[in-house]
Amino acid sequence: MTESKPTVTGTARVKRGLADMLKGGVIMDVVTAEQAKIAEEAGAVAVMALERVPADIRRDGGVARMSDPDMIESIMAAVSIPVMAKARIGHFVEAQVLQAIGVDYVDESEVLTPADEAHHVDKHAFTVPFVCGATNLGEALRRIGEGAAMIRSKGEAGTGNVVEATRHMRAIVGGIRRLTRLSDEEVYAEAKELQAPLDLVLEVASAGRLPVVLFTAGGIATPADAALMMQLGADGVFVGSGIFKSGDPARRARAIVEATTYFNDPDVIAKVSRNLGEAMTGINLEDLPAAQHYAQRGW
Amino acid sequence: MQRIPGEAFTPAAGEAAADGAPLVGVLALQGDVLEHVSMLRKAGAEAVVVKRPEDLDAVDGLVIPGGESTTIGKLAEMYGLLDPLRKSIDEGLPVLGTCAGAILLSRKTLFADGTPADQPLVAVLDAVTRRNAFGRQVASFEHDLEVAGIDGGPVHAVFIRAPWFEEVGSAVTVLAAVGTPDGKRTVVVRQGAVMAAAFHPELSGDARLHAAFVKMVNEVRGGQ
């Protein structure tokens, strides 16, 4: 009844496995322990601990960096669900710090100011799993090749505008569907076009899905937005500014959780969409200066 | 049927279950539903998702998957599933809970630090679980585990922010335990037709635990 073999940590299976456990759930940005508790009470599967939500990063400008470890730890102490935190693209020392304090997932995020304009973090080198953003299939597979254990479509964070999330989900899912229809010769050529590792391209062509969980992010502000992403093929949803920049965060958070579980049931989405108070104002993409298109960060 | 999160975008032609295969539901409020569906099919059962109380009527057995126990419990409460689940299981519906599912089945659960957690539970298993007992994600591990009643060598067990069973009642049989620096910790239990594992048998590709569960479902069905 007992065992003798050694145990192993930090394997691809346990890293990808935690993302599997988050499927069908909502991950919410929080900046205080109080917000983290509201998110957990509303049914969030995890929280993203950060000092400023993307809408405030946009407003404040300047360089956005990893949050204060004290602040992240206060959120880890406040809730029992997994806690994620963001490191700058390519900033492997910020990632080392986040692993050292014991966060459950590192988001190598374009919402922060990139620290390296050519290289992403070598995520295989870490015990903590990473989630990375992607705007298309090739970018998703490059991140997985570097060791990402979870992908989120980027969208355009902090805008409350779902149009970029839609574009990126359609690009990724459409890219997957296209691969499954190609002959072997065409898959080799497509790998070159995608600028992605051939073994991963072949794996997707055969499985008809990414080898890791695919969430969506960037601009989700309403229950209907969340259900739209789920119907487009997301396995779950990140909501950043959309909850705590709205009129009634607790209620909106719960409504988005319900709409994510019952994403194919318009009666439920209608019910939870009533009387939510004001949604975040939102930004039209054409009003956004080029330098503020975060989705273009990452290579 | 609607897409289960994680499912392929080009569904393969699935093999039909054999005639007379039991129908096992997977509670699909949140979590790794898809992995259980495919393991149940591998173990010879037909599998369907359960999202509504009425979905329970047709099933011969039920799986509560891994996921976040707080999320699944709150949604089960909001959508009127907790009482029907409890009633069906009390009346003999076989159930398998893994990780979050094991927590939801237990009568009481504790936070990692041992203080009581107040969250909705199905509470049909006379056991106290301790959430995230082995630690946070960086401590998640894989381990070869002997499970009583599972022949053919150890089960490769995947523990992710896993709980353990802190206490079990006299009607509960301990089927497996893991050694820790502080002694052995119970990780698989059975009480009648209720099975619970602290790890994720659905993630390893080894369907023996699901096969044992499907066998139990068939026995309960045959006995009716």
Side-chain angles (χ1 to χ4, degrees):
Chain A
M1 233 177 58
T2 53
E3 39 58 48
S4 55
K5 290 203 180 161
T7 64
V8 282
T9 59
T11 60
R13 192 179 260 154
V14 301
K15 290 175 173 179
R16 294 176 178 188
L18 178 56
D20 283 321
M21 299 310 140
L22 302 175
K23 282 188 295 195
V26 182
I27 300 169
M28 303 181 191
D29 278 5
V30 297
V31 300
T32 63
E34 290 66 36
Q35 288 187 356
K37 284 181 183 154
I38 291 169
E40 183 176 47
E41 188 53 41
V45 289
V47 290
M48 178 74 69
L50 71 179
E51 278 166 354
R52 291 178 294 170
V53 294
D56 290 336
I57 293 174
R58 285 189 187 283
R59 188 199 58 206
D60 296 350
V63 174
R65 312 178 179 89
M66 177 186 78
S67 298
D68 183 333
D70 254 1
M71 176 268 164
I72 297 168
E73 281 179 344
S74 73
I75 286 170
M76 290 164 62
V79 294
S80 62
I81 54 179
V83 175
M84 302 183 167
K86 289 182 193 290
R88 281 178 269 180
I89 289 173
H91 205 315
F92 51 85
V93 174
E94 285 187 348
Q96 289 165 4
V97 170
L98 295 174
Q99 174 167 290
I101 65 176
V103 304
D104 296 295
Y105 242 92
V106 173
D107 182 5
E108 186 181 17
S109 178
E110 70 282 0
V111 169
L112 304 184
T113 309
D116 189 321
E117 291 189 327
H119 309 91
H120 282 251
V121 172
D122 171 13
K123 294 164 274 283
H124 294 291
F126 287 78
T127 304
V128 67
F130 281 70
V131 55
C132 288
T135 58
N136 57 51
L137 180 58
E139 193 175 4
L141 294 180
R142 287 195 292 281
R143 297 295 86 80
I144 297 167
E146 296 155 2
M150 178 179 185
I151 294 293
R152 53 173 175 76
S153 61
K154 282 180 178 171
E156 195 53 53
T159 61
N161 186 341
V162 82
V163 66
E164 291 300 293
T166 305
R167 188 195 317 279
H168 300 155
M169 274 308 299
R170 284 202 181 275
I172 294 169
V173 172
I176 293 170
R177 285 208 183 93
R178 179 182 144 72
L179 268 188
T180 63
R181 292 193 298 265
L182 299 182
S183 71
D184 283 356
E185 296 95 323
E186 289 168 331
V187 171
Y188 299 138
E190 186 69 9
K192 190 181 73 179
E193 292 300 316
L194 289 169
Q195 300 180 49
L198 176 62
D199 57 334
L200 290 175
V201 175
L202 287 165
E203 191 178 343
V204 171
S206 138
R209 46 157 295 175
L210 293 182
V212 304
V213 164
L214 170 64
F215 267 49
T216 192
I220 288 91
T222 69
D225 287 349
L228 173 68
M229 291 300 118
M230 295 298 288
Q231 289 196 29
L232 284 173
D235 296 335
V237 178
F238 282 87
V239 186
S241 319
I243 290 173
F244 289 99
K245 284 286 167 192
S246 75
D248 187 346
R251 192 163 176 160
R252 183 168 295 266
R254 173 163 296 202
I256 291 176
V257 168
E258 291 178 56
T260 301
T261 290
Y262 294 97
F263 65 90
N264 250 352
D265 190 333
D267 292 335
V268 169
I269 300 163
K271 186 191 78 180
V272 304
S273 298
R274 293 170 201 273
N275 301 313
L276 289 182
E278 232 172 289
M280 69 179 287
T281 310
I283 301 172
N284 289 312
L285 273 293
E286 51 270 29
D287 299 336
L288 209 58
Q292 280 202 30
H293 284 257
Y294 296 161
Q296 290 166 7
R297 297 168 170 176
W299 5 95
Chain B
M1 201 166 87
Q2 71 185 49
R3 179 174 183 271
I4 302 171
E7 209 164 19
F9 291 104
T10 49
E15 265 181 57
D19 282 347
L23 184 66
V24 179
V26 181
L27 187 65
L29 300 177
Q30 189 275 317
D32 70 335
V33 175
L34 181 66
E35 286 73 9
H36 277 291
V37 166
S38 61
M39 289 307 253
L40 286 165
R41 288 180 179 154
K42 209 167 155 182
E46 189 44 79
V48 290
V49 298
V50 169
K51 284 192 160 185
R52 299 279 189 182
E54 55 268 28
D55 297 339
L56 285 170
D57 297 343
V59 300
D60 302 309
L62 182 78
V63 171
I64 305 184
E68 274 308 310
S69 63
T70 51
T71 305
I72 299 171
K74 283 171 204 296
L75 284 164
E77 191 172 50
M78 278 193 270
Y79 283 82
L81 274 151
L82 272 188
D83 289 333
L85 280 171
R86 200 173 290 136
K87 183 164 173 284
S88 301
I89 297 165
D90 281 343
E91 288 171 1
L93 180 75
V95 62
L96 167 67
T98 67
C99 195
I103 293 166
L104 286 157
L105 292 173
S106 66
R107 67 173 171 83
K108 182 180 175 187
T109 193
L110 311 174
F111 290 120
D113 67 3
T115 58
D118 179 23
Q119 62 184 79
L121 299 173
V122 185
V124 290
L125 173 66
D126 186 12
V128 178
T129 45
R130 185 192 286 245
R131 295 178 55 200
N132 311 132
F134 292 97
R136 303 189 71 96
Q137 172 61 15
V138 287
S140 292
F141 63 100
E142 300 187 40
H143 182 88
D144 286 331
L145 187 70
E146 291 289 350
V147 180
I150 305 289
D151 299 329
V155 168
H156 188 69
V158 183
F159 290 83
I160 296 176
R161 286 173 47 94
W164 65 48
F165 298 94
E166 183 93 359
E167 290 170 37
V168 297
S170 54
V172 176
T173 310
V174 173
L175 300 181
V178 166
T180 74
D182 302 318
K184 280 178 198 164
R185 299 300 184 176
T186 299
V187 293
V188 185
V189 300
R190 179 172 171 177
Q191 173 192 313
V194 178
M195 281 177 79
F199 64 94
H200 295 284
E202 70 277 16
L203 283 187
S204 64
D206 179 345
R208 285 178 294 164
L209 210 102
H210 285 80
F213 176 66
V214 170
K215 183 162 170 267
M216 185 169 84
V217 171
N218 276 323
E219 283 163 8
V220 169
R221 222 172 34 141
Q224 276 170 358

